[in-house]
């Protein structure tokens, strides 16, 4: 298993992985139209390439036998700064693994990477949103010391989902 940064050449594979993992975890919640609109906006090669090329996101990819199986994304500045008293928070935007790779320690390795980057860059908090009914993810984040600071929403197409905003002070 190899952890590495994303390059522009990774955009198509990362977009496909993002779509596959999102659909596996949440696809059942949405109409086909809402899901298609969201995937085109967030998990398509163009938007993913823009994030990789831009200054606001840093990706860590997990590769196994030449295939991407998981990833994590940090965003700075965070979309959620208005909810925190932290002076300089960073956002954990996504941490996803293929269903075949959950429970294998990949999530822990990606979280360790994210927290290490946050500390190296002298951020005083990490923010993340988690679906209100994703209890497994909530337990995972709570093991790292994250706690709920706000109720927020997450839009997928025309649908608004109830989410929790978590924070870990560093």
């Amino acid at each position: 298993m190899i952890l590495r940064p994303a390059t522009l050449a990774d955009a198509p594979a990362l977009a496909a992985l993002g779509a596959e993992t999102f659909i596996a975890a949440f696809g059942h919640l949405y109409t086909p139209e809402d899901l298609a609109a969201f995937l085109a906006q967030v998990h398509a090669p163009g938007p993913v390439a823009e994030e990789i090329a831009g200054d606001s996101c840093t990706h860590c990819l997990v590769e196994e036998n030449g295939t991407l199986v998981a990833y994590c994304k940090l965003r700075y500045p965070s979309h959620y700064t208005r909810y925190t008293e932290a002076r300089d928070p960073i956002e954990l935007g996504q941490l996803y693994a293929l269903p075949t790779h959950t429970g294998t320690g990949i999530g822990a390795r990606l979280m360790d990477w994210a927290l290490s980057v946050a500390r190296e860059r002298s951020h005083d908090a990490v923010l993340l949103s988690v679906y209100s009914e994703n209890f497994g993810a909530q337990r995972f984040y709570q093991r790292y010391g994250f706690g709920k600071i706000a109720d927020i929403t997450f839009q997928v197409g025309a649908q608004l989902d109830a989410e929790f905003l978590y924070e870990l002070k560093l």
Side-chain angles (χ1 to χ4, degrees), residues 77-138:
S78 169
H79 291 142
Y80 304 114
T81 56
R82 69 182 176 276
Y83 295 100
T84 180
E85 294 179 10
R87 159 189 62 71
D88 192 28
I90 193 168
E91 179 184 333
L92 176 60
Q94 295 165 346
L95 193 160
Y96 289 123
L98 290 172
T100 55
H101 288 74
T102 57
T104 64
I106 289 175
R109 290 186 66 188
L110 287 170
M111 181 59 80
D112 291 344
W113 168 83
L115 296 178
S116 174
V117 169
R119 288 182 176 106
E120 286 170 9
R121 295 180 183 176
S122 299
H123 294 286
D124 59 343
V126 179
L127 302 173
L128 62 86
S129 69
V130 60
Y131 179 51
S132 63
E133 295 183 31
N134 190 346
F135 305 114
Q138 291 171 36

Side-chain angles (χ1 to χ4, degrees), residues 8-25:
L8 278 176
D10 293 312
L14 182 53
L17 175 62
E20 183 177 352
T21 55
F22 186 85
I23 291 168

Side-chain angles (χ1 to χ4, degrees), residues 65-85:
N65 300 320
T67 302
L68 295 183
V69 297
Y71 72 101
C72 183
K73 175 173 71 176
L74 291 172
R75 179 181 292 117
Y76 182 79
S78 169
H79 291 142
Y80 304 114
T81 56
R82 69 182 176 276
Y83 295 100
T84 180
E85 294 179 10

